[in-house]
Amino acid sequence: MSVRTFPNYIDGAWVEGPTFENRNPANTGEVVGLHVSGTPSDIARAAAAAEAAFPAWSAMNGPARGALLYKVAELLDARFEEISAEMTREEGKTLPEAKGEVRRSINIFRYFAGEGSRLAGTMAPSERPRVHMFAVRKPVGVVALITPWNFPSAIPAWKLAPALICGNTVLMKPASAAPLSAWRLIEACHDAGIPPGVVNFVAGGGGALGAALLNARPVKAISFTGSCGVGEKLHEEASRRRLRIQLEMGGKNPTIVLADADFEAAVENVVNASFFSTGQKCTATSRAIVEESIYDRFVEAVAERTRKLKVGDGMQPGVDIGPCVDEGQMKTVLEYVEIGRTEAGEPVCGGRRLTGPGFDEGWFVAPTVFAGVTPEMRIAREEIFGPVLAIMKARDFNHALEVANGSEFGLSASLQTTNLSRMFEYVYGMEAGLLTVNLPSAGVEYQLPFGGTKDSSFGPKEQGPAAMEFYSDWKTVYIKY
Ligand code: NAP
């Protein structure tokens, strides 16, 4: 079967060129697609096209832009099955997870399409006689979107849709490990009739294209989701150019389990948050902090439940956990497993690459649980971004909260309890941008702000009404009548 090439998209045209392979991490013999590898000059052309398209797009009224975004959602919906299956094949998450993500992208486009009719300004009474004053939102200009592979459709969607509805024009650089899901959004924008130059897409290596993006004069803002190392570098460079920048980065998310929790539900929530999507969610739980009176029972129950998880090709029905996204990610996970062995001893389950029929052609790691982990250990402090859970012991709630907060990260957190006072103490005392109670730490919706605190994030939040803050600016008007 011939492998399809997916070109870049600049100024409304599909641009061919040398390609790189997008391989299936569950079966590395399968090339899902060939993607055109963009160059710095492609970035420059795309930025110029976005700049040229900006006046007309930003002058179009909000409801008209919204109508085009509704059309994008419709087209994605019509291609739902195909796009979901492609996501499983390029990223490795299971088909039900991929379907959930594509559904979310469709909902995100619908949500922000509606914002086109609501782009509200603000009014206030003047202290001066016969003065009417108000402020209106205006777009920022050309916005660069740099996205990771772990939510290869939803993250591009939750940047692209608000950027467009606010009247900005866009240049997207997807992750090289999973560019096709983002490409499908761009294809839908093209097919929906979004004018040339408004949306541009250049795939290729982050290093060279990142530098070109930062140096592209028309770019006025950068929205980045990815690792802390790349985010920090972008921040430094962007500050030098006084670019507006938003960074969503790593985490080391805790779930606190108190003795009064619904035990079975707590086990399920921790296992779900730690291992689904192969632990490759930025909001995944990687530390379970458990009250000592239930600690041993909890470790045993989590290990027992984890051993039952079915690992395999996410296209197969009944599979719970797919592979790591690529060899590099798998090696990182296995290195941390060895670090964990040195620090905490033999894991209570998992702790190895899976081999044999169905595994040898992919990057599969057995979901791994370490018990007896203490806060100074590296497996309790550093982001692993894979199916590895560290279980720690706490004397009581206050101690658990102290351990949970003893991290440079602050993305998400979860508490398992039936005690209402502990819930509120946690709500006000936990240092994280996303909190859940009696739910997994992962699993967010698009209608509310999303983002972390501490070293996990920088700048305005994404999603929900908060997204408008990054993608628009204010113009304040005073009229004497
Ligand atoms: P990454 O290596 O930082 O890559 C993210 C994006 O940045 C990719 O498109 C990448 O391109 C690009 N990039 C790489 N080097 C660059 C440079 N020098 N300049 C500009 N762009 C550059 O992260 P990842 O491995 O894709 O994603 C995993 C990380 O993302 C984890 O740390 C995870 O916690 C974080 N994450 C955070 C959130 C959140 O909301 N907080 C959500 C999801 C993921 P290439 O792919 O071509 O290298």
Side-chain angles (χ1 to χ4, degrees):
M1 207 173 83
S2 75
V3 178
R4 183 171 168 193
T5 296
F6 297 93
N8 285 327
Y9 185 67
I10 300 172
D11 203 12
W14 299 106
V15 179
E16 302 286 346
T19 58
F20 65 96
E21 289 177 344
N22 179 16
R23 282 186 183 266
N24 181 344
N27 172 17
T28 54
E30 184 197 356
V31 180
V32 180
L34 296 170
H35 283 261
V36 170
S37 192
T39 61
S41 71
D42 289 331
I43 293 281
R45 281 200 304 124
E51 186 178 38
F54 178 72
W57 180 249
S58 57
M60 187 187 277
N61 64 57
R65 287 197 297 264
L68 287 167
L69 264 59
Y70 278 122
K71 183 86 182 139
V72 172
E74 253 173 58
L75 289 164
L76 294 172
D77 215 349
R79 301 165 186 169
F80 176 77
E81 296 292 336
E82 182 189 5
I83 297 176
S84 304
E86 282 171 351
M87 185 188 294
T88 294
R89 286 166 55 226
E90 76 165 346
E91 200 271 353
K93 63 181 67 182
T94 65
L95 189 56
E97 287 174 325
K99 285 184 176 179
E101 181 174 342
V102 175
R103 180 58 53 207
R104 179 137 66 112
S105 297
I106 294 166
N107 290 342
I108 287 167
F109 269 92
R110 293 211 170 106
Y111 175 89
F112 285 106
E115 284 299 297
S117 312
R118 285 190 290 268
L119 280 169
T122 184
M123 251 174 65
S126 172
E127 290 184 351
R128 293 171 284 180
R130 297 180 66 78
V131 169
H132 180 78
M133 58 187 212
F134 59 96
V136 291
R137 287 189 184 275
K138 67 182 188 70
V140 177
V142 177
V143 180
L145 313 178
I146 306 178
T147 57
W149 46 263
N150 67 330
F151 284 100
S153 177
I155 293 178
W158 80 50
K159 295 182 191 296
L160 182 57
L164 292 177
I165 203 64
C166 287
N168 303 286
T169 54
V170 169
L171 202 179
M172 183 186 288
K173 205 307 277 169
S176 300
L180 179 51
S181 300
W183 190 93
R184 288 293 181 197
L185 301 177
I186 304 302
E187 176 193 48
C189 289
H190 172 81
D191 293 350
I194 290 182
V198 172
V199 173
N200 302 274
F201 177 92
V202 181
L209 298 189
L213 270 172
L214 283 162
N215 290 324
R217 189 196 38 80
V219 171
K220 296 286 180 282
I222 297 182
S223 178
F224 168 83
T225 301
S227 60
C228 289
V230 173
E232 272 167 34
K233 227 168 94 185
L234 282 173
H235 184 212
E236 273 172 35
E237 296 290 326
S239 305
R240 211 164 295 146
R241 273 201 56 208
R242 289 196 293 276
L243 296 179
R244 181 179 284 224
I245 190 158
Q246 171 185 59
L247 308 169
E248 284 302 337
M249 301 173 288
K252 191 73 194 173
N253 311 307
T255 292
I256 297 174
V257 184
L258 298 185
D260 62 56
D262 174 337
F263 187 84
E264 299 307 324
V267 169
E268 204 54 41
N269 286 336
V270 166
V271 170
N272 173 310
S274 304
F275 300 125
F276 284 21
S277 293
T278 322
Q280 297 177 143
K281 293 178 183 171
C282 50
T283 48
T285 287
S286 52
R287 297 181 288 154
I289 305 165
V290 183
E291 220 172 343
E292 60 189 1
S293 61
I294 58 162
Y295 184 84
D296 290 340
R297 190 159 73 95
F298 188 80
V299 169
E300 203 174 297
V302 165
E304 191 186 323
R305 177 72 183 91
T306 302
R307 283 187 207 103
K308 289 191 185 131
L309 293 173
K310 187 166 178 212
V311 182
D313 182 341
M315 291 300 284
Q316 303 299 327
V319 164
D320 298 303
I321 297 178
C324 297
V325 74
D326 59 20
E327 187 178 15
Q329 198 63 36
M330 182 192 69
K331 282 186 170 162
T332 302
V333 170
L334 292 173
E335 274 165 30
Y336 271 104
V337 167
E338 289 316 308
I339 291 168
R341 276 201 169 89
T342 312
E343 292 180 323
E346 198 52 27
V348 291
C349 64
R352 67 197 165 87
R353 181 176 179 179
L354 292 169
T355 52
F359 294 127
D360 285 344
E361 299 303 312
W363 312 122
F364 296 98
V365 175
T368 301
V369 178
F370 284 101
V373 177
T374 50
E376 74 290 351
M377 292 180 186
R378 285 181 65 190
I379 57 166
R381 288 187 289 113
E382 297 173 16
E383 184 182 49
I384 301 172
F385 220 54
V388 181
L389 171 67
I391 311 192
M392 307 159 82
K393 193 182 281 187
R395 290 185 300 278
D396 53 22
F397 170 73
N398 286 332
H399 182 215
L401 192 62
E402 186 189 316
V403 172
N405 280 334
S407 166
E408 65 207 39
F409 297 111
L411 190 48
S412 74
S414 171
L415 172 67
Q416 309 291 313
T417 187
T418 49
N419 184 314
L420 191 60
S421 293
R422 295 296 97 78
M423 285 183 203
F424 279 96
E425 285 160 14
Y426 155 84
V427 165
Y428 290 105
M430 184 68 225
E431 296 161 5
L434 286 158
L435 304 182
T436 70
V437 177
N438 298 330
L439 288 166
S441 65
V444 301
E445 302 191 33
Y446 54 88
Q447 310 92 315
L448 286 176
F450 173 88
T453 184
K454 295 163 91 173
D455 284 358
S456 290
S457 301
F458 178 83
K461 296 282 178 272
E462 303 201 81
Q463 304 198 62
M468 311 312 266
E469 296 309 320
F470 182 75
Y471 293 106
S472 67
D473 209 341
W474 288 105
K475 183 181 277 179
T476 307
V477 183
Y478 300 90
I479 297 174
K480 176 84 179 175
Y481 60 92

